[in-house]
Amino acid sequence: MTIRQFKAVALKELSSSPSPALDIDVLLCFSLNCTKTHLLLHYNEELPLENLLWLEKAVEKRKTGLPVAYITGHKEFYGYDFIVSPSVLIPKPDTEILTARAIDVITDVILKRPSSVLTVCDMCTGSGCIALSVLKSLIDEPAVPRELIPAFTLVDISAEALSVARENARHLIPDEYLERVRFIQSNLFEEVPFLFNVILTNPPYVPAQMAAELLEDGRNEPLLALDGDAGADGEPASSCDGLSVIRRLLPECAGHLVYGGSLLMETGEYNAETAAGLAKECGFKGVNILRDLENQLRVVECHYQSLH
Ligand SMILES: C[S@@+](CC[C@H](N)C(=O)[O-])C[C@H]1O[C@@H](n2cnc3c(N)ncnc32)[C@H](O)[C@@H]1O
């Protein structure tokens, strides 16, 4: 069977996917280890049997609703290749807004006050996509002195998620910077006895009912990564606005930031304003909400006590 013939058959099989042509191209490129251009130039070539068998299985999995990223085990985020498994949320383009802003904020502080190494926490790190993209971008930025590359602490309650984050650190970060990355398994800041200059976080913020509905499409993402109504002990909390985790997290962030430190926190477009109000109640100043590429309210940015 040629690539073209396979694509025609698979398009029919995946007609219920929101993006069948894209799904098939990603699966073909992954299986053949080639670019989209290479695929187009070789459309009429026969698929090797081994690839065809893998692709047929991949299409069957995709038909169950399993995302392509879990089938290939990879997802591109902020231009970097992340390893993913169903233990972690698949990194989303919306989160690139927080990542880009974090790089600007951290670079600015490093260049204005080049005296000490900054400490950055990525709370609820999952695959590590935020912290590791920020770190990799700073390493790749010649204006940032090597000795001032910050130290990162990646925290998650899930041991499985942390082992994916560790794998991504080994995969993306050059060996000489790996000692600047530490991993802590913790329920929010319970096991984290350190202060930070910057806290980055994409916590679970989806209302419980909405999270359950999202998962009905077979995407298989961890409920723990989405359900913002989970209580401190994992039991359902009393709120249903998706902000239960954030209500516990904000005062803990205040207690773990140095004076003048920055917090960047992703939220839902439906609860960003309430989350920003909660940040003010916890003593954060300069509270601002950044919009994503679809102009939706997405990231709460604020500073503990002082802007400087
Ligand atoms: C929305 S995902 C974010 C993952 C990743 N940072 C990203 O942006 O793709 C939330 C993460 O928070 C973790 N998590 C949920 N409750 C937590 C808690 N109480 N303490 C620490 N991590 C938690 C989940 O395991 C999940 O990895």
Side-chain angles (χ1 to χ4, degrees):
M1 185 183 282
T2 64
I3 294 176
R4 183 189 297 279
Q5 287 165 336
F6 171 78
K7 195 163 175 183
V9 174
L11 271 175
K12 283 191 198 131
E13 295 273 321
L14 294 183
S15 55
S16 58
S17 158
S19 52
L22 177 65
D23 293 354
I24 296 160
D25 283 350
V26 174
L27 292 172
L28 276 164
C29 289
F30 177 77
S31 168
L32 297 168
N33 193 19
C34 71
T35 63
K36 179 88 188 293
T37 316
H38 179 96
L39 209 58
L40 288 169
L41 292 172
H42 297 79
Y43 250 13
N44 293 320
E45 286 183 14
E46 286 290 312
L47 273 168
L49 183 61
E50 199 184 331
N51 298 82
L52 180 61
L53 293 175
W54 184 87
L55 284 159
E56 284 172 349
K57 278 197 194 129
V59 167
E60 285 310 308
K61 288 184 193 164
R62 181 71 191 109
K63 275 163 71 178
T64 67
L66 194 67
V68 168
Y70 286 155
I71 299 171
T72 62
H74 292 261
K75 176 72 185 175
E76 187 184 311
F77 178 82
Y78 212 74
Y80 302 121
D81 172 46
F82 280 87
I83 295 159
V84 293
S85 80
S87 307
V88 297
L89 190 84
I90 297 168
K92 305 284 184 286
D94 285 344
T95 306
E96 294 183 339
I97 299 297
L98 188 158
T99 307
R101 181 65 190 145
I103 293 165
D104 285 350
V105 168
I106 294 169
T107 308
D108 202 46
V109 180
I110 293 176
L111 297 182
K112 275 191 188 141
R113 276 186 290 160
S115 50
S116 56
V117 172
L118 295 183
T119 53
V120 181
C121 176
D122 178 7
M123 173 51 70
C124 299
T125 194
S127 61
C129 62
I130 298 175
L132 299 175
S133 298
V134 173
L135 173 55
K136 181 85 175 104
S137 300
L138 294 172
I139 292 169
D140 292 344
E141 171 52 66
V144 175
R146 308 298 76 193
E147 66 280 12
L148 294 182
I149 297 288
F152 283 77
T153 300
L154 281 61
V155 183
D156 205 286
I157 198 168
S158 154
E160 294 79 15
L162 279 178
S163 86
V164 174
R166 267 196 200 93
E167 218 182 323
N168 277 316
R170 285 193 296 268
H171 170 59
L172 289 168
I173 305 300
D175 285 352
E176 65 264 41
Y177 296 102
L178 277 178
E179 63 183 20
R180 297 187 200 205
V181 188
R182 113 178 111 198
F183 302 85
I184 301 180
Q185 185 181 2
S186 173
N187 185 351
L188 300 183
F189 282 96
E190 247 172 48
E191 309 294 329
V192 186
F194 310 110
L195 285 181
F196 300 96
N197 297 97
V198 179
I199 296 175
L200 311 173
T201 182
N202 177 13
Y205 57 72
V206 182
Q209 173 78 25
M210 203 191 284
E213 283 165 15
L214 277 174
L215 294 176
E216 278 171 11
D217 66 3
R219 66 178 64 196
N220 217 19
E221 290 187 287
L223 179 63
L224 182 65
L226 296 171
D227 181 7
D229 286 329
D233 46 9
E235 293 299 308
S238 49
S239 81
C240 55
D241 56 3
L243 291 173
S244 174
V245 176
I246 285 180
R247 280 192 181 85
R248 287 189 284 125
L249 174 60
L250 280 168
E252 293 191 23
C253 287
H256 284 80
L257 274 172
V258 300
Y259 197 81
S262 301
L263 168 67
L264 290 169
M265 178 178 74
E266 183 169 316
T267 66
E269 62 276 22
Y270 35 79
N271 52 23
E273 281 167 331
T274 312
L278 292 169
K280 284 180 197 158
E281 283 171 23
C282 289
F284 285 94
K285 306 286 181 212
V287 180
N288 187 24
I289 308 179
L290 312 177
R291 290 178 182 271
D292 64 20
L293 295 174
E294 284 163 4
N295 209 29
Q296 305 265 35
L297 299 175
R298 185 62 62 209
V299 175
V300 175
E301 174 173 353
C302 47
H303 308 272
Y304 192 57
Q305 296 297 352
S306 153
L307 283 170
H308 301 288

